[in-house]
Amino acid sequence: MNAHAGRRVGAAGLFAALALTGALTLWFGQDSFNAWWLQTWHQRSPLERLNAWPQWRSAAALRARLQAWHDGPASMEQAVAAGLAAASAPEAPGIPELPPVPPAPEAPQTPDAPQENAAPPVIRLAAADKVLFVGDSMMQSIAPLLQRTLLREGGIRSINLSRHSTGLTNAAYFNWPQAVEAALRQHPDTRLVVVFLGANDPWDFFESRSRKRFGTPEWDEAYAARALRITRAARQAGASVIWIGLPLMRANDYGQRIRRLNAVLAQNLDAAALWLPTEELLGDGTPSYADSIRLEGKLTRVRHTDGIHLALPGQRRLASHVRQFIEYAPAAAPKADAKTSAEAAARPPAMPPNPAPAL
């Protein structure tokens, strides 16, 4: 074999090795690739056509076992992984639609009492209660602030499940309703679920084989059903829900989509959650996007340079706003045991202090 032929064989071997490496990477990371494709192009990945082959889908099971081994037993990630496994199965059915949540009974009001003077609803938490934070990268910015505040002020512990690039439309990447259900089963002492979600959602999505086109009644109904599945799970677990609306966005088309998504949630959540709009809170008082607003007499930047996320002052402002709707129940007085009570009864009564001598 001459040198030229040897170089060709070497190049062919290198090409074959690179092709095999690429194929194995796609095989092992197929779920991540499918999620990226769906988020980028808002349609199913061409690799999903291979899901009918068990050998192809075996990579997902292998990856799940390796992840479980890495995380260790009894981890929160394993509980959430149960939801992911069901969501990433081939041709997994969409999340079923839920019946509308019946409105909560309203307190009687006198005709003379103006509605705007009514006290805002608050959620009372005790030190033994837990709070569950649910959301995407928007929640990742404010959850730590609220966690520290709740622990410092009320001794209340919390679980932060927020995960970037997630939402309600791409259940194949991360299934939030199932993840919340799993977390509530693992933490039955959760009494409040705070949701800040939707920045990745205002696009078409698939439910089984049906494509839900954004802006249609079918999309609104399917999206609301997924949100209501979260609120229903919380209510069945004895927890209240605070759902934070998304702020205004800089890009015009994206901003209009977010406005519509907010309207769908505000209309359908109704009594199922405490809906907190943020347009005015993080705006300058006008119906348009603002990078900076005046806080304490000073023009302060509250939005990130990407026109989507919150800068630190905006994070603090929103976290403080959410905190206003949470109250702490007074701690119960410690109960004295029988031995302590008996000793106290046998102890002679304390003498009053000597009166001061008269001058």
Side-chain angles (χ1 to χ4, degrees):
M1 179 182 296
N2 55 33
H4 182 67
R7 284 194 296 270
R8 284 191 300 176
V9 171
L14 177 61
F15 178 79
L18 290 174
L20 179 61
T21 301
L24 288 175
T25 301
L26 284 177
W27 174 71
F28 189 71
Q30 57 187 266
D31 287 339
S32 297
F33 178 85
N34 292 341
W36 169 82
W37 187 280
L38 183 61
Q39 288 180 323
T40 303
W41 306 108
H42 311 299
Q43 58 184 351
R44 291 188 181 276
S45 161
L47 290 183
E48 293 192 31
R49 299 174 183 174
L50 303 176
N51 286 352
W53 296 358
Q55 297 84 353
W56 173 257
R57 288 300 296 162
S58 64
L62 174 61
R63 185 172 181 176
R65 287 196 294 269
L66 290 175
Q67 185 66 46
W69 173 81
H70 177 270
D71 293 336
S75 66
M76 169 59 72
E77 286 76 13
Q78 284 184 335
V80 175
L84 290 176
S88 59
E91 300 300 334
I95 298 176
E97 297 179 0
L98 303 176
V101 178
E106 297 181 357
Q109 296 181 356
T110 60
D112 297 334
Q115 184 67 26
E116 58 270 15
N117 291 338
V122 294
I123 297 166
R124 175 165 292 193
L125 300 176
D129 297 337
K130 286 183 180 177
V131 177
L132 180 66
F133 291 97
V134 170
D136 50 28
S137 55
M138 303 291 285
M139 175 60 89
Q140 283 181 321
S141 66
I142 70 165
L145 299 176
L146 283 165
Q147 286 183 284
R148 288 194 293 268
T149 299
L150 294 174
L151 184 61
R152 183 181 68 250
E153 295 180 350
I156 296 172
R157 301 187 178 276
S158 55
I159 307 100
N160 183 7
L161 288 186
S162 57
R163 179 166 175 162
H164 68 87
S165 300
T166 59
L168 293 178
T169 59
N170 192 354
Y173 174 62
F174 194 84
N175 192 313
W176 268 118
Q178 290 182 348
V180 170
E181 291 166 351
L184 290 172
R185 287 193 298 269
Q186 185 167 355
H187 300 277
D189 48 356
T190 299
R191 292 296 171 263
L192 174 61
V193 179
V194 184
V195 185
F196 194 16
L197 198 62
N200 301 300
D201 286 343
W203 317 102
D204 298 355
F205 68 93
F206 287 86
E207 198 165 69
S208 295
R209 296 181 180 274
S210 174
R211 181 170 185 167
K212 309 297 182 183
R213 297 189 179 277
F214 183 80
T216 64
E218 292 76 19
W219 191 99
D220 297 350
E221 184 178 2
Y223 190 78
R226 298 185 177 199
L228 287 171
R229 180 170 172 179
I230 292 177
T231 60
R232 185 178 70 172
R235 187 174 62 179
Q236 290 176 344
S240 302
V241 178
I242 294 178
W243 201 298
I244 306 171
L246 291 166
L248 299 172
M249 302 297 178
R250 180 194 294 156
N252 183 59
D253 179 67
Y254 178 59
Q256 293 300 321
R257 289 173 174 266
I258 291 298
R259 287 175 186 268
R260 180 179 176 88
L261 186 147
N262 276 340
V264 171
L265 288 174
Q267 180 179 359
N268 287 278
L269 289 177
D270 195 21
L274 174 58
W275 171 257
L276 298 184
T278 61
E279 290 93 341
E280 294 184 6
L281 180 74
L282 297 169
D284 60 355
T286 67
S288 59
Y289 172 87
D291 283 319
S292 303
I293 61 176
R294 193 163 295 279
L295 298 177
E296 299 180 353
K298 180 181 179 181
L299 192 63
T300 305
R301 187 178 189 91
V302 293
R303 304 299 294 273
H304 196 270
T305 54
D306 62 4
I308 299 174
H309 295 87
L310 306 180
L312 183 56
Q315 297 169 20
R316 290 172 175 165
R317 181 171 175 80
L318 180 53
S320 298
H321 181 65
V322 176
R323 165 64 186 85
Q324 294 178 7
F325 296 90
I326 300 174
E327 286 186 352
Y328 306 124
K335 296 181 178 179
D337 56 24
K339 180 179 179 181
T340 303
S341 300
E343 291 176 351
R347 190 181 302 121
M351 297 298 293
N354 293 328
L359 297 178

